[in-house]
Amino acid sequence: MSSLKTLQSHPLRHDASMEDIHALGPWFHNLHLPDGRQTAPDHPLGDYPAYKCAALAPHLPSNLADKRVLDIGCNAGYFAIELARRGAHVTAIDHDAHYLRQAAWAAEQFDLGDRLVLKEGDVYGLAGSGDAYDIVLFLGVFYHLRYPLLGLDLAASMSSGLLLFQSLATGGSADDLDTSDPGYLGRDRLREDAWPKLAFIEHELAGDPTNWWLPNPPALRAMVRSAGFAVDTVVDDIHICRRTSAATSAEQRLHAVLGSLCGPQDTSEEARHVR
């Protein structure tokens, strides 16, 4: 069973036709299986994450053949499976063995063959991989990270095209503010509601001690820009971000940090686009 405390399905009735699903529970993803069953029809968030995926679908190509996708923190694999069904070759990672068992079982139900590869790991383990993907999903992970900007930089560095970024966030202004240097005497500007901020959670939030940081909406966009990406649009709370020319300098900064921590990294263009 997952060690995380999350909003998950806990069915009260035992149904013999759902025995294999119950055996793998509790579920955080309500997967709609080919045989008509659902893994978490009683999910406290409703039909989750189907409604998010449905909102996102029109913004992604319907045919993803020959595209490479990385899903970081895949959970039971809802998004990974949907993109693999569109023809993408998906690598999905999660640090939680419970969720990976669910994803592996679900992939078998959809008969995805070699289009979906599951790996145990986390975003920090991507450091120095030298790989690149057309689309990177970084959904529902950021606020669980003790070192969130390192995680975002690593996720962004894996994308040669699109980054799909989502995080639990605080409320507050959705307007962007001029965040140029306010100067030493202008520090009170950082108190403005629209200034990018991260709220630190010292103990736990909603009973989950892995909830470390909650950004406000301007911080989400500012951090994306600092990683060398631009927010094209926001669907539900998923930011669809496109790589810009600033990504190269952002990656150089990341590799300098990784080099000081772990030794030299191969930052060449050839290494970054190893297939």
Side-chain angles (χ1 to χ4, degrees), residues 142-224:
F142 180 84
Y143 53 98
H144 291 300
L145 300 178
R146 177 77 176 182
Y147 311 104
L149 270 179
L150 176 58
L152 177 58
D153 282 348
L154 284 165
S157 73
M158 303 298 291
S159 174
S160 59
L162 292 181
L163 171 69
L164 308 185
F165 177 41
Q166 182 272 341
S167 174
L168 187 66
T170 65
S173 172
D175 297 327
D176 280 319
L177 190 71
D178 176 12
T179 54
S180 57
D181 182 1
Y184 181 77
L185 297 179
R187 333 191 269 290
D188 282 349
R189 286 196 58 214
L190 277 64
R191 297 182 181 179
E192 296 179 26
D193 287 344
W195 191 274
K197 296 181 181 69
L198 285 174
F200 177 66
I201 300 163
E202 182 179 0
H203 301 294
E204 59 183 38
L205 178 71
D208 189 341
T210 72
N211 288 327
W212 286 107
W213 301 92
L214 260 65
N216 66 359
L220 284 170
R221 294 189 292 274
M223 290 184 294
V224 164

Side-chain angles (χ1 to χ4, degrees), residues 222-244:
M223 290 184 294
V224 164
R225 293 192 297 270
S226 76
F229 281 69
V231 177
D232 277 355
T233 188
V234 181
V235 180
D236 198 326
D237 60 349
I238 298 176
H239 294 66
I240 302 176
C241 314
R242 192 171 303 277
R243 184 180 174 89
T244 73

Side-chain angles (χ1 to χ4, degrees), residues 226-228 243-255:
S226 76
R243 184 180 174 89
T244 73
S245 58
T248 299
S249 59
E251 288 177 4
Q252 290 172 346
R253 179 185 60 217
L254 171 64
H255 290 308

Side-chain angles (χ1 to χ4, degrees), residues 15-217:
D15 184 340
S17 69
M18 300 280 284
E19 190 169 338
D20 49 353
I21 293 174
H22 291 325
L24 287 165
W27 293 80
F28 185 60
H29 282 180
N30 183 36
L31 295 161
H32 292 241
L33 301 173
D35 61 12
R37 296 181 299 164
Q38 299 178 36
T39 58
D42 62 328
H43 200 293
L45 296 180
D47 193 3
Y48 181 87
Y51 60 84
K52 286 186 179 290
C53 197
L56 181 63
H59 298 272
L60 297 176
S62 58
N63 184 357
L64 290 172
D66 300 324
K67 297 297 184 182
R68 300 182 74 239
V69 173
L70 174 65
D71 186 357
I72 303 168
C74 64
N75 202 277
Y78 193 105
F79 290 95
I81 288 170
E82 288 301 308
L83 296 187
R85 292 177 69 190
R86 293 190 183 201
H89 291 275
V90 182
T91 298
I93 66 173
D94 203 291
H95 78 282
D96 196 310
H98 170 74
Y99 292 142
L100 287 176
R101 284 192 294 271
Q102 292 178 339
W105 177 85
E108 290 180 359
Q109 310 309 303
F110 285 94
D111 193 22
L112 294 175
D114 62 357
R115 292 204 306 279
L116 175 56
V117 176
L118 297 166
K119 297 181 178 180
E120 187 169 354
D122 59 25
V123 66
Y124 303 130
L126 299 173
S129 73
D131 212 346
Y133 296 82
D134 300 291
I135 302 173
V136 171
L137 280 64
F138 192 49
L139 309 176
V141 176
F142 180 84
Y143 53 98
H144 291 300
L145 300 178
R146 177 77 176 182
Y147 311 104
L149 270 179
L150 176 58
L152 177 58
D153 282 348
L154 284 165
S157 73
M158 303 298 291
S159 174
S160 59
L162 292 181
L163 171 69
L164 308 185
F165 177 41
Q166 182 272 341
S167 174
L168 187 66
T170 65
S173 172
D175 297 327
D176 280 319
L177 190 71
D178 176 12
T179 54
S180 57
D181 182 1
Y184 181 77
L185 297 179
R187 333 191 269 290
D188 282 349
R189 286 196 58 214
L190 277 64
R191 297 182 181 179
E192 296 179 26
D193 287 344
W195 191 274
K197 296 181 181 69
L198 285 174
F200 177 66
I201 300 163
E202 182 179 0
H203 301 294
E204 59 183 38
L205 178 71
D208 189 341
T210 72
N211 288 327
W212 286 107
W213 301 92
L214 260 65
N216 66 359

